[in-house]
């Protein structure tokens, strides 16, 4: 008889594929994504559906799924706010409702340490109970905060489902194309003159290992997930041999705003906050309760953005 | 930091020339540093040694700091509670230099800085590299758990930006430090600083300008800030004070304990001001 599977939404993204690779052979994986899964192993069950559609419900209905890892969250700064919101927030509420309806016992929702938001008055190591301030400043992260909060409320409304919200620090890796990885690939990146915040990174494979650790029975709740440590932004750029271009912060925002509008830049101006202030977190609880420890060193993690 | 390597090494040798024992003393500073030379809070000891140079010079030749009772700072975690004055935090810097240069073993102080400091360019990264952190209870708790030396000014901005006519009159104390001391069972060492009030006597505070610039105050002083007058500094460390009680006690009982520390500091200040011979000598 077939084993009960682990469903992964957003499996076709770079992070999803890394997770599938890690779980392949250990679990029966059920992939859900509206994008095709390039390089999919033949024995991996894949459903090319939009998570907002009823067709996706059938996957849960028939698929005999014991756990869900929900990464179907999209960040595309060029996408309209409505599309973003509908896909991310509506999609999440629907998927989680199906989990209740079809008896999925474990749900791992991928959030991000970004939900706290960079700020000059942040503590150096934010714990899970810190307020989620990011939504004040970033419309793009607002969805992520909404998803995170929804998953938390789910935790109380459906105690029979073991829900875990993981908030990893910036995920980087050779194939990862998120803002932090892209930023670290620029040879002459902007920095903000006179600011040098501490930065935490986690290698994509460590981030995947953390999500797998969260699958363990008994683990439930909200957890920050950190990589091998923290370093000043300047030290990370030096490690990569970058030549930073310091820009005064009061010029950088309007300038980047214009460049972004004209499509000369792919980073929206609020991302500059990450170059100015810290948003570093304490991952101690997750490490203690799951035994998770990153395998990559800080240097390996940094170097991973330029390929293995 | 945009300081070139040459400048850093020049500053380092300056520090070493003023404090010949510095190389051995650095070895004795217990900090958890990673492969990038910083501790988890961003303190960079190498950078600090370089950045220290002008402050050591001020300590030795400008303020000619006289220190008493530094041996009373006990090993392990400690909260140094000091009076704050002088418009710019040279008082914090001088306490910091004293503990690095004159205490054995040297101790790198972590001052709890105002929340607006990290929003200032250069100052934010400078403060972080020399080990100062934003004054949130969470940061303080974490550093105390790591047996660090915390410097707090419970008067905060009320103290540092007060006018000259209010010199050596302690302003209202915040209660946060006492709550943390009780919670973490940390001894409190009162540190009285005399001299900082005279480094930049503020005649008036232009509040609208301060508001416009987002500063806590905009003082008008005879010298133009940030340049301090060469007042003679006296720093006196008191006996460690230990308090017991519940950190979540009602305000009134916490306030009583805070008043004990404040009273102790005020009477030491009064004595020191009476005893000093001259403001500048």
């Amino acid at each position: 008889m077939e084993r009960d599977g682990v469903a992964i939404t957003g499996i076709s993204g770079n992070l999803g594929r890394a997770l599938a690779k890690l779980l392949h052979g250990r679990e029966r994986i059920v992939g859900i994504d509206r994008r095709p899964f390039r390089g999919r192993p033949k024995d991996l069950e894949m459903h090319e559906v939009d998570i907002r559609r009823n067709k996706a419900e059938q996957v849960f209905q028939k698929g005999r799924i014991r756990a869900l890892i929900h990464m179907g969250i999209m960040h595309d700064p060029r996408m309209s706010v409505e599309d973003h919101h509908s896909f991310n927030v509506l999609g999440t509420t629907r998927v989680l409702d199906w989990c209740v309806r079809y008896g999925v016992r474990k749900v791992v929702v991928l959030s991000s340490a970004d939900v706290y938001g960079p700020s000059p008055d942040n503590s150096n190591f934010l714990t899970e109970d810190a307020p989620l301030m990011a939504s004040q400043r970033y419309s793009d992260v607002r969805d992520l905060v909404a998803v995170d909060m929804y998953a938390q409320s789910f935790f109380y409304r459906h105690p029979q489902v073991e829900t875990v919200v993981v908030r990893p620090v910036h995920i980087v890796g050779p194939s990862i194309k998120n803002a932090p990885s892209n930023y670290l690939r620029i040879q002459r990146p902007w920095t903000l003159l006179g600011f040098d915040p501490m930065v935490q990174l986690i290698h994509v494979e460590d981030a995947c290992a953390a999500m797998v650790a969260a699958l363990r029975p008994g683990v439930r709740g909200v957890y920050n997930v950190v990589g091998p440590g923290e370093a000043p932004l300047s030290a990370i750029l030096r490690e990569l041999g970058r030549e930073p271009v310091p820009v005064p912060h009061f010029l950088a925002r309007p300038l980047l705003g214009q460049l972004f509008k004209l499509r000369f830049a792919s980073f929206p101006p609020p991302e500059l906050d990450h170059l100015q202030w810290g948003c570093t977190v304490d991952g101690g609880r997750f490490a203690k309760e799951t035994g998770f420890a990153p395998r990559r060193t800080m240097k390996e993690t940094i170097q991973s953005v330029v390929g293995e | 930091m945009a300081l070139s390597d040459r400048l850093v090494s020049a500053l380092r040798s300056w520090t070493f020339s003023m404090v010949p024992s510095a190389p051995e003393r650095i070895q004795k500073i217990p900090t958890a540093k990673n492969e990038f030379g910083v501790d988890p809070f961003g303190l960079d000891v190498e950078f600090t040694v370089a950045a220290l140079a002008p402050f050591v010079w001020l300590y030795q030749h400008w303020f000619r700091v006289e220190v008493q009772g530094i041996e009373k700072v006990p090993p392990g975690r400690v909260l140094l509670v000091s009076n704050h004055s002088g418009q710019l935090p040279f008082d914090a810097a001088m306490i910091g230099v004293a503990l690095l240069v004159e205490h054995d073993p040297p101790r790198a102080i972590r001052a709890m800085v105002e929340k607006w400091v990290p929003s200032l360019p250069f100052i934010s990264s400078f403060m972080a590299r020399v080990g100062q952190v934003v004054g949130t209870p969470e940061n303080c708790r974490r550093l105390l758990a790591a047996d660090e030396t915390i410097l707090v000014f419970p008067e905060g901005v009320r103290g540092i930006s007060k006018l000259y006519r209010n010199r050596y009159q302690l302003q209202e104390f915040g209660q946060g430090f006492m709550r943390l001391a009780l919670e973490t069972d940390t001894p409190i060492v009162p540190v009285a600083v005399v001299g900082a009030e005279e480094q930049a006597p503020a005649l008036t505070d232009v509040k609208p300008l301060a508001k416009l610039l987002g500063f806590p105050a905009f003082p008008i002083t005879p010298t133009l800030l940030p340049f301090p007058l060469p007042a003679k500094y006296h720093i006196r460390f008191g006996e460690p004070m230990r308090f017991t009680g519940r950190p979540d006690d009602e305000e009134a009982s916490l306030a009583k304990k805070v008043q004990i520390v404040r009273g102790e500091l005020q009477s030491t200040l009064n004595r020191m001001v009476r005893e000093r011979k001259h403001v500048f000598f």
Side-chain angles (χ1 to χ4, degrees):
Chain A
M1 206 181 97
E2 226 181 17
R3 282 188 299 161
D4 285 356
V6 175
I8 303 177
T9 59
I11 196 166
S12 303
N14 292 309
L15 182 60
R17 294 217 305 274
L19 180 61
K21 198 172 140 198
L22 183 66
L23 274 182
H24 186 237
R26 290 162 60 181
E27 297 277 356
R28 185 172 70 83
I29 303 174
V30 181
I32 305 172
D33 201 315
R34 55 180 173 174
R35 302 163 290 184
F37 187 147
R38 282 183 290 115
R40 170 173 69 94
K42 287 216 174 52
D43 55 342
L44 191 150
E45 182 184 331
M46 177 69 197
H47 300 271
E48 248 174 73
V49 291
D50 187 316
I51 51 166
R52 291 167 292 183
R53 306 242 173 254
N54 290 334
K55 259 179 82 186
E57 180 173 0
Q58 289 166 15
V59 178
F60 285 83
Q61 199 173 2
K62 297 178 186 153
R64 300 220 292 77
I65 289 164
R66 71 167 179 92
L68 165 73
I69 299 181
H70 179 50
M71 309 194 293
I73 311 218
M74 119 191 128
H75 315 267
D76 182 351
R78 299 281 179 200
M79 196 77 112
S80 80
V81 175
E82 294 75 28
D83 271 0
H84 240 197
H85 187 79
S86 156
F87 187 84
N88 292 339
V89 183
L90 197 69
T92 300
T93 57
R94 299 209 73 182
V95 170
L96 294 192
D97 286 345
W98 295 332
C99 286
V100 176
R101 197 172 303 162
Y102 303 111
V104 177
R105 296 185 302 276
K106 181 96 196 192
V107 173
V108 177
V109 177
L110 176 67
S111 179
S112 159
D114 277 357
V115 292
Y116 302 110
S119 159
D121 50 16
N122 273 349
S123 289
N124 289 48
F125 294 94
L126 296 164
T127 47
E128 287 84 355
D129 53 0
L132 310 187
M133 304 303 278
S135 56
Q136 284 188 347
R137 303 178 64 96
Y138 304 86
S139 64
D140 296 337
V141 193
R142 205 166 291 159
D143 284 359
L144 196 58
V145 173
V147 166
D148 189 297
M149 305 253 251
Y150 184 79
Q152 286 187 60
S153 73
F154 190 79
F155 183 87
Y156 295 107
R157 280 186 294 130
H158 301 289
Q160 78 278 19
V161 183
E162 254 181 30
T163 309
V164 187
V165 178
V166 290
R167 295 177 182 160
V169 297
H170 302 306
I171 298 173
V172 294
S175 58
I176 299 296
K177 297 201 174 64
N178 58 8
S181 302
N182 289 340
Y183 172 77
L184 293 176
R185 290 192 189 102
I186 303 170
Q187 184 50 35
R188 298 179 61 83
W190 281 14
T191 54
L192 295 180
L193 184 65
F195 291 95
D196 191 11
M198 297 295 276
V199 175
Q200 290 171 321
L201 305 173
I202 186 168
H203 190 281
V204 55
E205 286 170 15
D206 284 327
C208 291
M211 282 185 274
V212 174
L215 280 179
R216 182 180 309 164
V219 178
R220 60 164 74 213
V222 184
Y223 296 96
N224 296 331
V225 176
V226 299
E230 42 280 319
L233 177 63
S234 62
I236 293 173
L237 293 174
R238 202 175 314 125
E239 174 67 24
L240 286 164
R242 303 293 180 230
E243 304 156 75
V245 181
V247 181
H249 61 103
F250 47 88
L251 291 181
R253 280 192 180 78
L255 205 57
L256 186 61
Q258 282 305 316
L259 291 174
F260 183 73
K261 230 182 266 171
L262 300 170
R263 297 185 172 260
F264 286 120
S266 55
F267 299 91
E271 297 278 0
L272 288 173
D273 288 3
H274 281 286
L275 307 181
Q276 191 166 13
W277 305 305
C279 180
T280 42
V281 301
D282 176 358
R285 256 187 70 233
F286 188 70
K288 200 169 141 219
E289 291 178 25
T290 66
F292 167 77
R295 290 181 46 209
R296 309 295 178 115
T297 65
M298 193 68 185
K299 288 201 174 180
E300 286 166 348
T301 304
I302 295 169
Q303 290 293 348
S304 76
V305 298
V306 291
E308 302 287 69
Chain B
M1 281 306 287
L3 280 179
S4 77
D5 294 346
R6 276 237 308 275
L7 181 58
V8 168
S9 79
L11 284 169
R12 278 171 64 86
S13 8
W14 189 15
T15 302
F16 289 164
S17 72
M18 288 183 288
V19 187
S21 62
E24 302 98 74
R25 297 184 70 83
I26 296 166
Q27 302 302 321
K28 293 197 217 162
I29 303 176
T31 47
K33 73 175 176 186
N34 65 14
E35 66 255 63
F36 299 100
V38 293
D39 85 342
F41 282 82
L43 164 65
D44 182 337
V45 172
E46 298 284 304
F47 177 84
T48 302
V49 171
L52 212 56
F55 295 99
V56 174
W57 183 85
L58 285 172
Y59 184 92
Q60 294 179 340
H61 302 285
W62 194 256
F63 297 128
R64 296 145 294 139
V65 181
E66 254 173 52
V67 176
Q68 279 182 301
I70 199 162
E71 69 287 347
K72 291 177 187 158
V73 178
R77 63 170 166 268
V78 61
L79 266 166
L80 307 176
V81 174
S82 182
N83 58 311
H84 210 8
S85 58
Q87 310 307 325
L88 286 172
F90 287 107
D91 47 0
M94 293 305 115
I95 295 170
V97 173
L99 281 157
L100 278 173
V101 173
E102 310 212 19
H103 192 264
D104 197 43
R107 304 197 57 164
I109 61 150
R110 323 297 299 249
M112 297 281 115
V113 305
E114 283 296 325
K115 288 182 180 178
W116 69 294
V117 167
S119 68
L120 304 170
F122 299 107
I123 293 172
S124 83
S125 50
F126 178 86
M127 288 299 224
R129 291 305 156 267
V130 299
Q132 314 313 303
V133 297
V134 186
T136 65
E138 182 53 37
N139 276 345
C140 191
R141 212 171 276 135
R142 208 171 276 272
L143 286 165
L144 287 173
D147 275 348
E148 297 272 2
T149 314
I150 310 295
L151 173 62
V152 289
F153 296 103
E155 298 169 276
V157 172
R158 292 184 296 272
I160 190 167
S161 58
K162 68 176 166 302
L163 301 180
Y164 187 61
R165 60 180 144 84
N166 299 326
R167 62 192 178 279
Y168 301 117
Q169 295 167 27
L170 287 177
Q171 306 295 299
E172 196 191 314
F173 267 33
Q175 301 193 339
F177 78 94
M178 184 55 73
R179 205 166 273 139
L180 284 159
L182 294 174
E183 201 180 299
T184 57
D185 188 24
T186 302
I188 290 172
V189 172
V191 184
V193 179
V194 163
E197 294 278 17
E198 289 84 7
Q199 78 190 13
L203 306 174
T204 179
D205 174 14
V206 190
K207 287 205 169 70
L209 204 50
K211 205 169 171 189
L212 188 72
L213 295 168
F215 292 177
F218 195 94
I220 301 298
T221 58
T223 65
L224 285 177
L225 283 172
F227 205 68
L229 292 172
K232 181 155 176 74
Y233 261 57
H234 301 265
I235 301 178
R236 193 175 292 178
F237 292 84
E239 294 293 340
M241 307 167 84
R242 288 174 191 275
F243 292 89
T244 50
R246 298 217 334 258
D248 55 351
D249 233 347
E250 54 194 86
E251 296 270 305
S253 113
L254 216 54
K256 234 183 263 168
K257 297 186 173 92
V258 171
Q259 281 316 313
I260 295 172
V261 180
R262 186 170 177 266
E264 170 67 28
L265 202 51
Q266 183 69 68
S267 60
T268 309
L269 282 173
N270 295 347
R271 207 160 48 235
M272 287 167 74
V273 170
R274 247 193 343 263
E275 283 169 9
R276 73 172 163 178
K277 295 187 187 72
H278 194 279
V279 170
F280 294 105
F281 304 104

